[in-house]
Amino acid sequence: MALLQISEPGLSAAPHQHRLAVGIDLGTTNSLVATVRSSMPVVLPDEQGRALLPSVVYYPAEDKALVGFEAVPMQAKEPQDTLVSVKRFMGRGLKDIQTEHLPYRFVDAPGMVQFKLKCGQKSPVEVSADILRNLRERAEASLGGELVGAVITVPAYFDDAQRQATKDAARLAGLNVLRLLNEPTAAAIAYGLDNASEGTFVVYDLGGGTFDVSILRLTRGVFEVVATSGDSALGGDDFDHRIYCWLLEQAGLSQLGGRDSRLLQQKAREAKEALTDKLSTQIAAVLEDGSPINVELTQQTYFDLTRHLVDKTLMPVRKALKDAGLSTDQIDGVVMVGGSTRMPHVQHAVAQYFDKPPLNNLDPDKVVALGAAIQANVLAGNKSGDEWLLLDVIPLSLGLETMGGLVEKIIPRNSTIPTARAQEFTTFKDGQTAMRVHVLQGERELVKDCRSLATFDLKGIPPMAAGAARIRVTFQVDADGLLSVTAMEMTSGVQSSVVVKPAYGLTDDEITRMLKSSIEHAQDDMAARRLSEATVDATRLIEATQAALAEDGDALLDADERGIIDQALQQLSAAIAAQDEARIRQASDEASRVTDEFASRRMDASIRKALSGQKLSELG
Ligand code: ADP
Ligand code: MG
């Protein structure tokens, strides 16, 4: 498919004027802000010199929210009012998320879930905005001026609702969003892979609570995300948890109180991080009842405890390769992203799987922010951006509903964005003046098995015979992955459109489930599609015949002939009611056969009518 150029109008800078722009990695566990200084991307630390900002926000009853490190200890004290991993809830409804093990008071609000807090109600967008505001203020203080804009990164699999929610959060935080950029693409940019002329790269991102793998293809300076996969419930936290369970076993404990449990989890995480650089570590703690814990954990034991988690990451890797139709030897490089990829056994497993050492010389928890900063610098006009062309893919096909509850796919899954595709449709009934456009996402053939994104009406179609109107429906997905749909009646120019802001996002589990079911149900779907198409054709035949009978039946048919046609139509209606494809096709053929003569008589009659009053000589 053709590659579309991304242009950023109005962003060319005056010469010698450096415009302040930042890249922000809005992470599930940690967030960061970076910029380009003297041609070098650098992370901007806080006043204490810390680069990472924990993505944690605590809301007291009245005072200002605490963000980052200050909020972390509040998790233990006031869990209901201390929000962590809020990224998981962006653009999600209550039914889309798992709430069992979470301390929050969720409120089911239209569009997106909200949290009930002592200070009132907050949406994930507002919480993310508080994190982003903190980073904006950090950047402005450190750069000494107002920002022109920011590039904010999102996981490659984020759908429309999640991207929109991220943009809204940025706007709320007073940031001008230059672009949303996919995290793996940002990491690849940080490694300068965009300067390599050609190649296929894997981005392996193991963070605090999520694992994402993406395959990027680079051709003549153009990045394309060719496949993505992952596990939304696998990350550094699971490694902590394994140590925690091992600790309980060692100490002969089964159930712990809240405070003790949090203490040991914290110890587990510290031990894990220590074992990245050391062969052994001592874990010491005193429980609330005064009993001490003091055990040694060796790197080897830790590796054995968590090897299955490392292996688990290779499943989505395999799947992404399969989706992209690639084998490991076709991969030119593997980029390591996320704090958890520091762990030696993760590095080792990835090196072994791909049979080459991974790219890991940049800090894995900073690469995404660094890449975003490089991109922001270009978009702000500080550097010629001609060579910049970033392509991403849409995770599930986009299409619209056609007659019979079928989905016509307009943009297939894994199409690169930005993209625009158009298809022509027509009216179903004579004199139809309005058409409902129903936009769907998913791989299945039937509307009921796909996800409804939006509906809108195209009104004011000039009345015409069924099938005469030409309605062009255009789907456009912009560089941020946001969809807009336009419908236009070509003869009259009547137009209607919608920017799709779906009320709910798709969880990646849901995406996986939808993909899986599309494969499992491919056979059923084909049968369902054939039945539905036969029904639509047959209904159209009945309606057209009835219209013709009403007009000319009395004049052109005798009672017997009329009886035969009526009976054929009844048979056909019965076949439709029975939803039996073979019977519908047979009855349709029969109805066509018995109306043939009637149709040709109508044709003769209309020609006679058209010719009446004309002389033969005028018919040259
Ligand atoms: P996210 O992308 O989810 O915001 P990060 O990329 O910041 O997350 O990764 C956070 C995870 O990285 C945490 O689980 C943390 O314990 C882990 N981590 C950070 N440093 C190390 C280290 N030295 N060894 C092992 N794990 C680490
Ligand atoms: Mg991350």
Side-chain angles (χ1 to χ4, degrees), residues 25-32 52-55 85 87-88 183 205-212 235-240 268-277 302 337-345 364-366 368:
D25 172 3
L26 182 60
T28 310
T29 318
N30 296 302
S31 298
L32 300 91
L52 300 183
L53 177 75
S55 304
S85 301
K87 187 173 178 176
R88 292 184 184 277
E183 289 162 10
D205 181 351
L206 189 59
T210 53
F211 173 63
D212 301 315
D237 297 345
D238 299 291
F239 290 74
D240 301 351
R269 175 187 278 215
E270 287 166 14
K272 171 191 79 173
E273 294 182 7
L275 289 173
T276 286
D277 301 312
Y302 169 62
V337 179
S340 301
T341 61
R342 285 212 177 85
M343 293 186 284
H345 58 329
D365 34 25
K366 293 183 188 151
V368 168

Side-chain angles (χ1 to χ4, degrees), residues 272-548:
K272 171 191 79 173
E273 294 182 7
L275 289 173
T276 286
D277 301 312
K278 295 201 299 186
L279 292 177
S280 140
T281 189
Q282 204 67 29
I283 304 174
V286 180
L287 299 182
E288 238 169 345
D289 65 3
S291 58
I293 288 183
N294 198 347
V295 284
E296 188 193 4
L297 177 59
T298 64
Q299 200 183 49
Q300 194 51 56
T301 309
Y302 169 62
F303 288 173
D304 292 342
L305 282 173
T306 53
R307 189 162 328 271
H308 67 289
L309 294 172
V310 179
D311 291 343
K312 213 172 156 192
T313 66
L314 296 178
M315 265 157 36
V317 171
R318 260 178 233 118
K319 183 172 176 298
L321 284 169
K322 190 156 166 270
D323 280 358
L326 294 169
S327 59
T328 50
D329 55 354
Q330 289 170 293
I331 300 301
D332 298 296
V334 184
V335 178
M336 299 299 261
V337 179
S340 301
T341 61
R342 285 212 177 85
M343 293 186 284
H345 58 329
V346 172
Q347 294 272 342
H348 185 251
V350 171
Q352 200 166 39
Y353 184 76
F354 287 98
D355 197 23
K356 57 174 72 72
L359 295 163
N360 58 7
N361 53 311
L362 293 175
D363 262 347
D365 34 25
K366 293 183 188 151
V367 286
V368 168
L370 295 175
I374 296 172
Q375 174 77 171
N377 193 46
V378 173
L379 292 178
N382 295 325
K383 194 172 173 251
S384 150
D386 298 348
E387 71 272 32
W388 291 86
L389 197 65
L390 301 178
L391 297 174
D392 298 325
V393 293
I394 51 165
L396 288 172
S397 302
L398 295 163
L400 51 79
E401 175 169 356
T402 61
M403 286 306 296
L406 294 176
V407 180
E408 180 75 21
K409 294 189 181 109
I410 310 285
I411 302 186
R413 147 182 157 73
N414 277 340
S415 293
T416 52
I417 58 168
T419 185
R421 295 243 182 138
Q423 191 144 326
E424 275 191 17
F425 293 87
T426 189
T427 43
F428 180 65
K429 285 202 164 137
D430 285 344
Q432 184 176 339
T433 59
M435 180 169 164
R436 167 147 293 191
V437 179
H438 185 190
V439 184
L440 296 132
Q441 187 164 34
E443 302 314 303
R444 299 284 301 275
E445 298 277 341
L446 299 181
V447 167
K448 66 178 176 54
D449 298 319
C450 289
R451 190 178 184 97
S452 171
L453 293 180
T455 31
F456 67 98
D457 292 324
L458 176 64
K459 293 201 183 100
I461 302 171
M464 284 177 247
R470 283 170 52 221
I471 293 141
R472 194 174 169 80
V473 179
T474 308
F475 276 53
Q476 191 161 3
V477 182
D478 72 11
D480 298 324
L482 297 177
L483 170 69
S484 55
V485 180
T486 310
M488 188 199 229
E489 202 290 305
M490 302 300 278
T491 56
S492 62
V494 175
Q495 188 170 325
S496 178
S497 66
V498 64
V499 173
V500 179
K501 285 188 192 164
Y504 297 105
L506 291 171
T507 63
D508 42 337
D509 286 349
E510 209 168 352
I511 290 178
T512 314
R513 187 177 53 70
M514 288 170 87
L515 284 177
K516 227 174 100 195
S517 78
S518 79
I519 296 161
E520 283 166 4
H521 295 284
Q523 289 290 337
D524 303 355
D525 278 8
M526 286 301 289
R529 173 172 275 268
R530 278 200 310 270
L531 171 62
S532 195
E533 278 169 357
T535 305
V536 169
D537 290 346
T539 310
R540 190 174 286 149
L541 178 61
I542 293 174
E543 288 186 3
T545 310
Q546 273 163 351

